[in-house]
Amino acid sequence: MTVVIFIYTAVLIVRNLITVVKVHHRIARLEEQRDHFRERIAGDSTMLSRLQYDYAGKYFVSASYRRDASSVFHKDNRWGNFGSVGAAWLITKEDFMDDYSSWLDALKLKASWGVQGNDAILDEDGYRVYYAYTDRYAVSYSDETNEYSKTLSYKGNKKLTWEKSKAFNIGIDFELFKGRLSGTFEYFNRKTSDLLYNKPTPMSAGILTGSMPVNVGSMVNRGVELELTGYIFKRNDFDWSVNFNLTHYKNKILSLDPAAEANGGLKYSNVIRRVGGSMYQVYLKEYAGVDPETGLSLYWKDVTTTVTDAEGNTSTVVTGRELTTDYSKATQYDLGDPLPKVYGGLGTSLRWKGLDFSLQLAYQLGGKIYDGTYQAMMHSGQQASAGTAWHKDILKAWTPENRYTDVPRVDASDATQQDLSSRWLTSSDYLSFNNV
């Protein structure tokens, strides 16, 4: 009897073990399918095609097409069609260019146009959002009520669609004097529309997350690029070459959300984004020097008046500007685009019998940058700055004997001397050694 019970017990144990193994295998399989499904829907699907054609070695045409799908968008807006076309003409291959062949080695005219898509939208913490069309909820549990509850943590938008960039380029490539001078010159125009943007929303709209993703606004980047390479000296065992390149471009906002446009743009602590300006437009209180009588910082502020029209509507009109030592009353101004006028690089290279020497520099001209390091080192001796070094310019600070200066007095009670203002804007021009 004991043996029978033992055998029966052993059979039950084995059967249970087999069941457990099957369950674990099934769970593992489901998890594998889940991960595979997530990989498929959280990424992009793409169909791609490309065509290139060359006729007689002097006419070139290319075209590409791609159709992308992204899980970021609702199924009605998920697919986007993108592509490009390009053409080039090698002019020096034409018979009518034979008269110039003694000094003109190659001359090519080229142009292209294309559309690209962007689905990279971020949440308020800077992380990619892969399902921006769906609402997301945070689930919490209460020990007091023993119940679960959910709150809206992300407001989706089913109308959200691809951000699109349309780029047009036209330029020339050339080579002169038996290869001693070559280069390229190009004009580019890149317009981006349906910008992905987390639009702030009021509590009265019933959206407790404070924002929702939308497509709004457009901007354009236009500019030119030049690249030159030339040989100062060229022989079989020795050559000396120089290179130079530059880029000039302007960024311009073409449209914004209507509510933002009506408010004069999107205004932040140090940047304003408005129609006609750039994405990087400086927005700061304007520093006006030092009051020679007190040594306090001076700032500009608007003088305003209220006017009433014939229909009884009132509005505030700026009639002028005046100086103030009260930082809180100073006006924030649009202080222009800080982008450089031109940037690029230059260099030289020497080669002799297998030995070579090269020097490469980078430069930037005509821009502005906010110098936070200089700002931190020009403190007024507050307790919060204890142990922080001073910049040598602090020696120019106002004193009763040094009244006419642009550095305010050093006084720990002046709490606003270091605050955000145009005082800390400085030139971003530089020349740097990249490689020797």
Side-chain angles (χ1 to χ4, degrees), residues 57-74:
K58 55 184 175 182
Y59 307 113
F60 308 88
V61 178
S62 64
S64 67
Y65 169 78
R66 61 184 296 159
R67 182 168 167 79
D68 293 332
S70 172
S71 67
V72 172
F73 311 116
H74 185 263

Side-chain angles (χ1 to χ4, degrees), residues 182-202:
S182 61
T184 181
F185 178 79
E186 192 164 322
Y187 166 80
F188 61 88
N189 184 312
R190 185 181 184 92
K191 180 182 178 182
T192 305
S193 57
D194 293 328
L195 294 165
L196 294 171
Y197 171 63
N198 288 308
K199 179 182 178 179
T201 55

Side-chain angles (χ1 to χ4, degrees), residues 293-309:
E293 302 301 324
T294 64
L296 293 172
S297 296
L298 290 171
Y299 304 93
W300 287 105
K301 75 167 186 174
D302 287 340
V303 178
T304 61
T305 186
T306 301
V307 297
T308 305
D309 61 20

Side-chain angles (χ1 to χ4, degrees), residues 216-283:
V216 64
S218 60
M219 68 175 182
V220 65
N221 289 307
R222 297 189 182 98
V224 294
E225 293 179 329
L226 173 67
E227 184 175 343
L228 297 172
T229 300
Y231 285 88
I232 298 174
F233 192 85
K234 190 173 185 180
R235 291 291 185 270
N236 291 333
D237 58 352
F238 176 74
D239 60 62
W240 178 18
S241 65
V242 293
N243 62 81
F244 172 79
N245 67 80
L246 67 82
T247 299
H248 164 76
Y249 85 100
K250 297 288 290 183
N251 174 271
K252 184 179 181 180
I253 296 174
L254 303 177
S255 64
L256 290 170
D257 181 79
E261 288 188 18
N263 194 40
L266 299 170
K267 300 174 182 179
Y268 303 94
S269 60
N270 57 2
V271 172
I272 181 171
R273 290 176 178 146
R274 60 171 180 80
V275 173
S278 84
M279 285 286 290
Y280 316 99
Q281 205 86 353
V282 177
Y283 189 58

Side-chain angles (χ1 to χ4, degrees), residues 8-179:
Y8 178 74
T9 304
V11 169
L12 288 178
I13 292 173
V14 171
R15 182 181 297 174
N16 289 335
L17 286 174
I18 292 174
T19 302
V20 169
V21 170
K22 287 182 177 180
V23 169
H24 279 284
H25 176 74
R26 180 59 178 165
I27 292 173
R29 180 58 180 166
L30 289 173
E31 289 179 344
E32 181 182 345
Q33 292 175 347
R34 179 202 62 192
D35 294 340
H36 178 65
F37 178 71
R38 283 180 175 176
E39 289 176 2
R40 290 186 61 189
I41 67 172
D44 293 338
S45 297
T46 301
M47 293 185 292
L48 177 67
S49 62
R50 186 175 183 183
L51 171 68
Q52 289 183 307
Y53 181 71
D54 168 9
Y55 177 73
K58 55 184 175 182
Y59 307 113
F60 308 88
V61 178
S62 64
S64 67
Y65 169 78
R66 61 184 296 159
R67 182 168 167 79
D68 293 332
S70 172
S71 67
V72 172
F73 311 116
H74 185 263
K75 62 180 181 179
D76 293 340
N77 302 309
R78 184 158 297 164
W79 288 92
N81 300 302
F82 312 105
S84 65
V85 292
W89 176 26
L90 190 54
I91 304 174
T92 44
K93 285 279 188 175
E94 302 291 351
D95 294 339
F96 61 79
M97 295 296 294
D98 290 345
D99 294 340
Y100 309 100
S101 60
S102 61
W103 59 273
L104 181 59
D105 306 329
L107 181 65
K108 180 191 287 186
L109 177 65
K110 58 185 181 179
S112 64
W113 180 89
V115 182
Q116 291 181 314
N118 175 37
D119 65 345
I121 188 166
L122 308 179
D123 63 17
E124 59 183 10
D125 297 319
Y127 294 102
R128 279 287 303 269
V129 179
Y130 291 100
Y131 312 97
Y133 68 93
T134 61
D135 293 344
R136 295 208 304 264
Y137 295 86
V139 179
S140 59
Y141 176 76
S142 172
D143 292 327
E144 295 180 359
T145 62
N146 294 323
E147 293 180 343
Y148 288 93
S149 63
K150 65 178 183 179
T151 55
L152 185 67
S153 61
Y154 183 87
K155 178 60 181 175
N157 181 4
K158 291 183 178 181
K159 296 181 180 180
L160 197 69
T161 187
W162 289 88
E163 177 181 295
K164 301 178 183 67
S165 294
K166 298 178 181 179
F168 171 73
N169 295 61
I170 186 169
I172 57 171
D173 296 336
F174 59 87
E175 187 174 299
L176 312 173
F177 313 120
K178 307 301 179 185

